[in-house]
Amino acid sequence: MNTDKKPILSPSLLSADFSNLAGELNALEEAGLTWVHWDVMDGSFVPNITFGTPVIAGCRKKSGLFFDVHLMIEDPDRYLENFVRAGADLLCVHAEACRHLERTLSEISRLGAKPAVALNPHTPLEILEYVLPQLDLVLIMSVNPGFGGQKFIPFSLEKIRRLKSMITARDCKTLIQVDGGVPPDNTRELTECGADVLVSGSAFFAHPPYQKRLETFITAAKD
Ligand code: DX5
Ligand code: ZN
């Protein structure tokens, strides 16, 4: 039970002002955020297209935030080096998009970024069985990927609980990230289930000022 630990909030830029990304990143940093979530979409793995390495590289020069990069792209092996060079601190690949997941994760580590795996709502946790010890983070998708502003899928709570027991049983240091439909009012339940990092897009960026919004998320997790 994650009762005393404060969750990390990683705002998803998908809901930020795309005409002013450097300004948004600066505002996040000033508001006290430490992580930011980049939703990279290729229009094939998910039915939407967002941004790629040139945008991330451009923003890297202007931001000290931890770049948590969520690759919703087919066959991510093709771009691992580019994203690390662009400044990704953590690279999260979808298990459903990797033919040789262990090799992909080892390559991310070799390149110097933190390896992470994302699971779509339907994907069972068992797929992590043999790679869990090499993971810095597992991303539990609590919506079907591709869009912001969707509703949280309730069975994600049980999935987070089961993942937490898998991590504890194996004595791993793997963080649990929850992504999709996370407003402040369910942060307490999520942290109690074992979530360490919460991704929020629409429920965060739609409610400036960001410092106040961050406090709302953090206090709600402890109430
Ligand atoms: C969806 C993305 C999420 C999404 C979260 O494919 O992975 O990060 O942007 O947005 P909200 O918080 O609005 O559900
Ligand atoms: Zn995401």
Side-chain angles (χ1 to χ4, degrees):
M1 292 276 269
N2 175 10
T3 45
D4 48 359
K5 248 181 24 200
K6 240 173 42 168
I8 296 166
L9 185 66
S10 189
S12 159
L13 288 174
L14 188 64
S15 305
D17 174 1
F18 274 32
S19 73
N20 177 28
L21 280 179
E24 290 275 58
L25 288 164
N26 194 30
L28 291 177
E29 210 160 345
E30 285 191 352
L33 287 120
T34 51
W35 286 40
V36 68
H37 186 79
W38 291 88
D39 280 315
V40 178
M41 301 181 186
D42 65 359
S44 166
F45 181 74
V46 288
N48 203 348
I49 297 178
T50 53
F51 30 61
T53 51
V55 174
I56 294 178
C59 290
R60 179 75 282 174
K61 297 197 260 299
K62 309 256 171 97
S63 174
L65 291 170
F66 182 84
F67 279 14
D68 150 26
V69 178
H70 178 191
L71 296 180
M72 285 163 275
I73 65 174
E74 295 293 0
D75 187 12
D77 287 345
R78 296 169 295 163
Y79 301 108
L80 299 178
E81 187 151 0
N82 300 10
F83 276 101
V84 175
R85 257 211 238 111
D89 294 296
L90 177 143
L91 260 190
C92 185
V93 293
H94 268 264
E96 304 89 352
C98 296
R99 199 175 292 276
H100 306 289
L101 183 59
E102 195 283 337
R103 183 163 62 192
T104 303
L105 295 169
S106 307
E107 181 59 6
I108 294 171
S109 299
R110 191 192 66 78
L111 289 166
K114 295 180 176 307
V117 170
L119 302 181
N120 282 336
H122 73 283
T123 306
L125 295 168
E126 283 64 30
I127 202 165
L128 301 172
E129 180 68 29
Y130 296 101
V131 293
L132 191 61
Q134 70 189 98
L135 291 174
D136 279 81
L137 177 141
V138 173
L139 189 168
I140 298 289
M141 286 305 298
S142 35
V143 294
N144 290 295
F147 303 94
Q150 301 179 82
K151 262 188 84 33
F152 182 88
I153 297 174
F155 67 64
S156 313
L157 289 170
E158 187 45 33
K159 200 169 177 181
I160 297 161
R161 276 192 207 97
R162 287 191 46 230
L163 175 57
K164 188 61 189 172
S165 15
M166 265 172 89
I167 291 169
T168 318
R170 309 271 301 267
D171 202 17
C172 295
K173 301 268 165 291
T174 315
L175 295 177
I176 299 176
Q177 182 177 56
V178 188
D179 185 9
V182 176
D185 38 16
N186 66 355
T187 51
R188 179 176 166 70
E189 219 174 349
L190 290 170
T191 31
E192 278 181 356
C193 292
D196 303 288
V197 186
L198 306 176
V199 177
S200 181
S202 48
F204 179 84
F205 283 101
H207 304 273
Y210 296 156
Q211 184 168 356
K212 194 130 181 38
R213 198 61 179 159
L214 171 63
E215 279 153 22
T216 317
F217 269 90
I218 300 301
T219 7
K222 290 191 287 195
D223 281 353

mmCIF file of all heavy atoms in Angstrom, residues 37 39 70 72 139 141 179 199, ligand 2:
data_model
loop_
_atom_site.group_PDB
_atom_site.id
_atom_site.type_symbol
_atom_site.label_atom_id
_atom_site.label_comp_id
_atom_site.label_asym_id
_atom_site.label_seq_id
_atom_site.Cartn_x
_atom_site.Cartn_y
_atom_site.Cartn_z
ATOM 1 N N HIS A 37 5.501 14.519 -19.626
ATOM 2 C CA HIS A 37 5.178 13.304 -20.391
ATOM 3 C C HIS A 37 4.970 13.667 -21.862
ATOM 4 O O HIS A 37 4.094 14.472 -22.197
ATOM 5 C CB HIS A 37 3.891 12.718 -19.806
ATOM 6 C CG HIS A 37 3.469 11.391 -20.353
ATOM 7 N ND1 HIS A 37 4.041 10.204 -19.963
ATOM 8 C CD2 HIS A 37 2.501 11.082 -21.250
ATOM 9 C CE1 HIS A 37 3.432 9.206 -20.605
ATOM 10 N NE2 HIS A 37 2.497 9.711 -21.384
ATOM 11 N N ASP A 39 3.812 12.485 -25.365
ATOM 12 C CA ASP A 39 3.031 11.433 -26.036
ATOM 13 C C ASP A 39 3.344 11.420 -27.524
ATOM 14 O O ASP A 39 2.787 12.203 -28.291
ATOM 15 C CB ASP A 39 1.528 11.669 -25.819
ATOM 16 C CG ASP A 39 1.076 11.185 -24.465
ATOM 17 O OD1 ASP A 39 1.480 10.071 -24.076
ATOM 18 O OD2 ASP A 39 0.332 11.917 -23.788
ATOM 19 N N HIS A 70 6.737 8.669 -24.039
ATOM 20 C CA HIS A 70 5.822 7.541 -24.242
ATOM 21 C C HIS A 70 5.685 7.310 -25.741
ATOM 22 O O HIS A 70 5.045 8.100 -26.434
ATOM 23 C CB HIS A 70 4.467 7.909 -23.612
ATOM 24 C CG HIS A 70 3.407 6.868 -23.768
ATOM 25 N ND1 HIS A 70 2.085 7.133 -23.456
ATOM 26 C CD2 HIS A 70 3.451 5.587 -24.201
ATOM 27 C CE1 HIS A 70 1.363 6.034 -23.688
ATOM 28 N NE2 HIS A 70 2.165 5.100 -24.134
ATOM 29 N N MET A 72 4.116 5.761 -28.636
ATOM 30 C CA MET A 72 2.969 5.025 -29.173
ATOM 31 C C MET A 72 3.205 4.896 -30.678
ATOM 32 O O MET A 72 2.557 5.534 -31.517
ATOM 33 C CB MET A 72 1.655 5.778 -28.871
ATOM 34 C CG MET A 72 1.249 5.645 -27.420
ATOM 35 S SD MET A 72 0.036 6.860 -26.919
ATOM 36 C CE MET A 72 1.123 8.222 -26.525
ATOM 37 N N LEU A 139 4.188 1.403 -17.468
ATOM 38 C CA LEU A 139 3.087 2.341 -17.687
ATOM 39 C C LEU A 139 1.811 1.537 -17.897
ATOM 40 O O LEU A 139 1.724 0.760 -18.865
ATOM 41 C CB LEU A 139 3.399 3.209 -18.919
ATOM 42 C CG LEU A 139 2.510 4.411 -19.235
ATOM 43 C CD1 LEU A 139 3.147 5.288 -20.296
ATOM 44 C CD2 LEU A 139 1.134 4.009 -19.696
ATOM 45 N N MET A 141 -1.759 1.727 -19.080
ATOM 46 C CA MET A 141 -2.706 2.582 -19.799
ATOM 47 C C MET A 141 -4.098 2.380 -19.202
ATOM 48 O O MET A 141 -4.630 1.270 -19.220
ATOM 49 C CB MET A 141 -2.734 2.218 -21.279
ATOM 50 C CG MET A 141 -1.541 2.639 -22.107
ATOM 51 S SD MET A 141 -1.159 4.382 -22.018
ATOM 52 C CE MET A 141 -2.643 5.113 -22.704
ATOM 53 N N ASP A 179 -1.650 6.164 -16.759
ATOM 54 C CA ASP A 179 -1.757 7.140 -17.833
ATOM 55 C C ASP A 179 -3.115 7.066 -18.525
ATOM 56 O O ASP A 179 -3.443 6.084 -19.178
ATOM 57 C CB ASP A 179 -0.642 6.834 -18.853
ATOM 58 C CG ASP A 179 -0.562 7.856 -19.951
ATOM 59 O OD1 ASP A 179 -1.247 8.891 -19.844
ATOM 60 O OD2 ASP A 179 0.182 7.632 -20.920
ATOM 61 N N VAL A 199 0.143 10.312 -14.781
ATOM 62 C CA VAL A 199 0.154 11.165 -15.974
ATOM 63 C C VAL A 199 -1.212 11.821 -16.083
ATOM 64 O O VAL A 199 -2.239 11.153 -15.968
ATOM 65 C CB VAL A 199 0.416 10.338 -17.250
ATOM 66 C CG1 VAL A 199 0.347 11.233 -18.495
ATOM 67 C CG2 VAL A 199 1.770 9.649 -17.172
HETATM 68 ZN ZN ZN B 2 0.927 8.835 -22.492
#
